[in-house]
Amino acid sequence: MAYTRGNLAVKQKSAERGYQPERYRETTKVVTRRTQLPVGEKLLYLLTVLICVAVMGGLLLQNSGLYNIKRQMFNMDAEISKMNVQIKELSIQKEVLEQQIPQEAAKLGYVEPLEEGLHVTIPTLP
């Protein structure tokens, strides 16, 4: 005889009645309840999030500073190119005015010396 659940006097059901489908089946369901996070773990997560936000804020500030510096460099390059154009225009005007010096001097009565070199007249003291 078969040993069923600790009792030798019980016959097996399949041998007794033949094959009959079970009307109901006993099932066990494991219910797991989620427990809340401990306070220490919550603080750890909060601290981790705050550190991440602080790092991102620092990177954002650094990038904005770099952007400002690059923008200033771009503006300076534009100003330098404008000033180079002005310098070229003024140097052309200077050359034109230098060429007009002898004509203006002749109008005012200045004459070119006949001899090359530096002529200095020193007044005599009485």
Side-chain angles (χ1 to χ4, degrees):
M1 206 174 256
Y3 181 77
T4 306
R5 295 186 187 176
N7 192 351
L8 293 174
V10 178
K11 293 183 180 179
Q12 292 182 352
K13 291 183 181 179
S14 61
E16 184 179 304
R17 298 186 193 146
Y19 179 72
Q20 292 181 356
E22 294 180 6
R23 293 187 184 197
Y24 67 92
R25 174 184 274 177
E26 288 186 30
T27 58
T28 57
K29 188 172 186 180
V30 177
V31 178
T32 58
R33 293 188 181 194
R34 280 193 140 170
T35 60
Q36 291 183 352
L37 293 175
V39 176
E41 195 170 350
K42 285 181 185 178
L43 290 176
L44 178 66
Y45 290 151
L46 180 65
L47 182 65
T48 304
V49 169
L50 289 176
I51 288 174
C52 289
V53 168
V55 168
M56 292 298 172
L59 291 175
L60 182 66
L61 286 175
Q62 186 178 8
N63 282 345
S64 66
L66 288 175
Y67 174 77
N68 287 335
I69 290 172
K70 286 181 181 180
R71 188 69 190 160
Q72 288 175 356
M73 286 175 46
F74 177 75
N75 290 340
M76 288 292 180
D77 287 341
E79 287 180 23
I80 288 171
S81 64
K82 286 179 185 177
M83 288 189 180
N84 282 338
V85 169
Q86 287 179 352
I87 288 171
K88 287 179 183 177
E89 290 175 357
L90 291 174
S91 65
I92 291 171
Q93 287 180 2
K94 176 187 160 197
E95 290 176 6
V96 169
L97 291 174
E98 282 179 349
Q99 291 174 357
Q100 293 176 356
I101 287 176
Q103 297 168 359
E104 293 294 321
K107 286 181 187 176
L108 294 174
Y110 292 105
V111 290
E112 284 191 46
L114 299 174
E115 298 176 9
E116 285 292 322
L118 185 63
H119 298 285
V120 179
T121 57
I122 301 174
T124 58
L125 296 173

